Amino acid sequence: MKKQWFKGLALLPLFVAGGCFASDISSYVVGGKPVKPSEDYSWMASVRNTTQDTSHFCGGSVVNENWVLTAAHCVVQPQASGKYGVVPPNQLAVMVGSLTTEVTELAHLYPVTHVVVYPKYSPDPEVKVTIESDGSTSIEVLSLALDNDIALLRIKGRFPSDAISPVTLATSDTASEIQNLLDEQWDDTIRPENVLVSGWGSTNKDGTDIAETLMAAKLSFLPTTECFNRLELGNDTHYILDSPANQTKVCALPPDLVFDQDGNSQGYGPDACKGDSGGPLLAKGADGRWVQIGVVSGGPLGSPLCGAYLRPGFYARVGTYYDWIAQTVGTIPDTPVSTPDFIGDADSDGSSKDDEVNKDCNPNVEGISPNNCALESSGGGGTVHILGLACLLGLVYFRRRYQ
């Protein structure tokens, strides 16, 4: 049976509510405050597009003198052919050491030499539909939306140790300890401000505009059980979290609403938004130091696009991938691009040689409507693999990357 890849139901990148369209990842901190020069955010990185005026499109965090951690969806993007490909290093740069989005010193810019995507990254839910002889169907989710959403970028040269301090990543054990502590703090009536997100993403709840300076906001960590209930409860099939015990994602909500200078509620709260994808989510460890526990990934579509009081955003859980990160940054990759498994062997342009794609199902990188992704079957009984089915069933989410 033909495998059809539906490109771009994006969680964190914001998209148009009411439609089922592919979206690119983008985020900006909504309801945040500008970071002061006296505050140490030297580990904060801006991922840049060298083909578009070296513009910011994703966040990241410095993990050692050579490497930056970001979201996989920032560098794995739909191609004009309808396939996914990995953005090559020559189209990427990293800027560190500056709080503004404007390039003021060339010394802040670092070319990228290697792009390494986590092998099991899954951009879209892959659904297996079994059509029985009696016409009934059963649905099995083979991979989740924006799952294992992490990637690493190696730069040319080194970040200066006297100016740039790497972020502290949560190990597997540390992540569990912090998560247990944060779970105990959750109170929906008086939400704690116990995690921190930062980035240059959109400051508006509709995902428009981009911050001119680095912003940060305190959020409320949402226990995975609660997050599962809010995102998946009532759904026969789960596309974002497979269970209340999921270990690939963590979630957060606004701790409060944003008010204007006259004390009027703006109808949304602090949140990551378009352009913040790939940036860090931090929490305090047992020693009181901030530790990165998440990578900005995506969120369910709706209005407002960012800052919804009841719709959590989700983040890749760093502790789950700590061993892979530590192993990767301790080496120099053999090839400039390491693709995720779903792409298969890649051509020089990053497109896949192996995946068969229904071009009618994904006519362009902007999006896809539910009426041009017809299910295919083998007759009286058989199976169908189709990512577009999620769209037909009403799943809408966005990635928090600017595009």
Side-chain angles (χ1 to χ4, degrees), residues 15-36:
F15 242 86
V16 181
C20 195
F21 295 91
S23 94
D24 290 324
I25 300 173
S26 302
S27 310
Y28 188 85
V29 175
V30 171
K33 297 180 180 179
V35 171
K36 299 177 182 178

Side-chain angles (χ1 to χ4, degrees), residues 63-214:
V63 296
N64 71 10
E65 68 271 16
N66 300 116
W67 289 89
V68 167
L69 176 65
T70 189
H73 75 247
C74 289
V75 294
V76 180
Q77 300 183 11
Q79 308 297 302
S81 65
K83 302 176 181 180
Y84 273 111
V86 178
V87 180
N90 62 11
Q91 295 182 18
L92 298 170
V94 169
M95 189 167 84
V96 300
S98 174
L99 297 180
T100 112
T101 53
E102 183 180 355
V103 179
T104 57
E105 294 184 35
L106 288 178
H108 293 153
L109 281 175
Y110 296 82
V112 171
T113 60
H114 297 79
V115 179
V116 183
V117 182
Y118 188 74
K120 298 300 181 182
Y121 168 58
S122 166
D124 303 303
E126 182 183 357
V127 179
K128 177 182 178 182
V129 180
T130 301
I131 304 175
E132 308 295 348
S133 57
D134 62 359
S136 63
T137 62
S138 63
I139 301 173
E140 178 185 2
V141 178
L142 303 179
S143 61
L144 299 172
L146 289 180
D147 211 26
N148 306 308
D149 190 13
I150 64 168
L152 288 161
L153 307 178
R154 194 175 197 275
I155 59 136
K156 182 179 181 181
R158 294 186 175 187
F159 298 121
S161 59
D162 60 340
I164 306 300
S165 299
V167 72
T168 300
L169 298 177
T171 66
S172 178
D173 290 343
T174 301
S176 296
E177 293 170 3
I178 292 177
Q179 195 165 343
N180 290 336
L181 177 62
L182 296 176
D183 284 353
E184 294 175 358
Q185 295 174 3
W186 170 249
D187 184 337
D188 201 8
T189 58
I190 306 176
R191 297 182 181 181
E193 295 183 339
N194 53 6
V195 288
L196 178 71
V197 67
S198 54
W200 291 273
S202 171
T203 52
N204 295 333
K205 64 179 182 179
D206 62 357
T208 58
D209 290 339
I210 185 171
E212 296 180 356
T213 189
L214 181 63

